Amino acid sequence: SSSVMRLLVEVALAGVAGKTIFEVGKNLGGIEERDTWPDSRTLWEQYIATDKRRYGRPFVVRGFAKNWPAFKSFADDKEMAQRWGNEMYDIVETEIKETRKAPQHEMTISKFLSNYEEKGWYSVATIPKAMQAEVPLPPHFHCGNFDRRMHGAVLWQSRGGTKSVIHNDGQDAVNCQMDGSKHWAIWHPKYAKKIQSRKFGWVDASRDKDFKEAYGQFGGRIDVDSVDLERFPGWDELEWYELWMNPGDCLFNPSAWYHTVHGEPGRSQSVLLWWYRQDNFNATDCEVTHAWPPGVTLADCTWDYSPGENEQATKCGPSTSKRDEL
């Protein structure tokens, strides 16, 4: 009968289509959930210096960003355009599913907000200083040299439906979902040798003629919507963690952990803080640094530390902190 035929066609098509990245491998379930954001020492001892290689481990604090001023002021495009429309977004991607090959643009915030839903633009821009004041600084930056290598604060915004390549970052990160929901798959860095191999579809854009217009190293030959397990069967063997991020949730994402992130349809926005990890935890700094007054924000930090390019130490907090007198 026609219904049987239709079923057979569907089964055949499903076979051809392959499985999404969330349907392969061994799902270990969620990552650790904490009730509060850790202080400097706790973050270092429990989530970074966990082993000789300092792989660390990720965790999420649900609802942590809900009391930030930005949680309200970034929630409405009209308010954003009124208050900050003339500020610039330095990087706007022109693709929703990341290939790293599409052109990037710089534009005013008002131009972005008027167009992103229709055109499928995706802001991955540095947060302008005026907007940084809406985002309180997570408490672990207070001391221990966490604030000495601050790299960047970024606002991600799109109409939703975004899909990233599989990659990892050279920096530790706090990633806070402000609007919309995102679905994460996360792999432990113990798999580095496997994941960063040709057998797993990894590419280095600087050396690969098929990716000469792209940048960086990433899982460039893996289609996250349809993983080709005949070519790359290894993905079906790896264990991975699953994470759903909803508005207000903040993730600590240690450098070196691999991930892909898929946005649900609808307005999506997140704030990302990136810093390069200090060589060691400075306990003395925590003894001499005064408690911060309330209200220290991203705007109270210097940024742009980058190894080999700009190695000027950064710092956060009120400029009257005791460390200036030492």
Side-chain angles (χ1 to χ4, degrees), residues 158-170:
S158 75
R159 68 185 184 198
T162 54
K163 289 166 183 178
S164 83
V165 293
I166 298 166
H167 65 287
N168 66 0
D169 300 310

Side-chain angles (χ1 to χ4, degrees), residues 186-214:
I186 304 172
W187 295 266
H188 193 289
K190 69 183 179 185
Y191 292 132
K193 273 205 174 79
K194 289 184 170 174
I195 289 177
Q196 293 192 206
S197 71
R198 293 179 67 167
K199 280 186 175 171
F200 279 72
W202 194 258
V203 303
D204 178 345
S206 66
R207 299 175 176 182
D208 192 316
K209 63 180 191 304
D210 295 337
F211 289 85
K212 60 178 183 289
E213 63 273 55

Side-chain angles (χ1 to χ4, degrees), residues 37 161 169 231:
W37 199 266
D169 300 310
R231 275 183 78 191

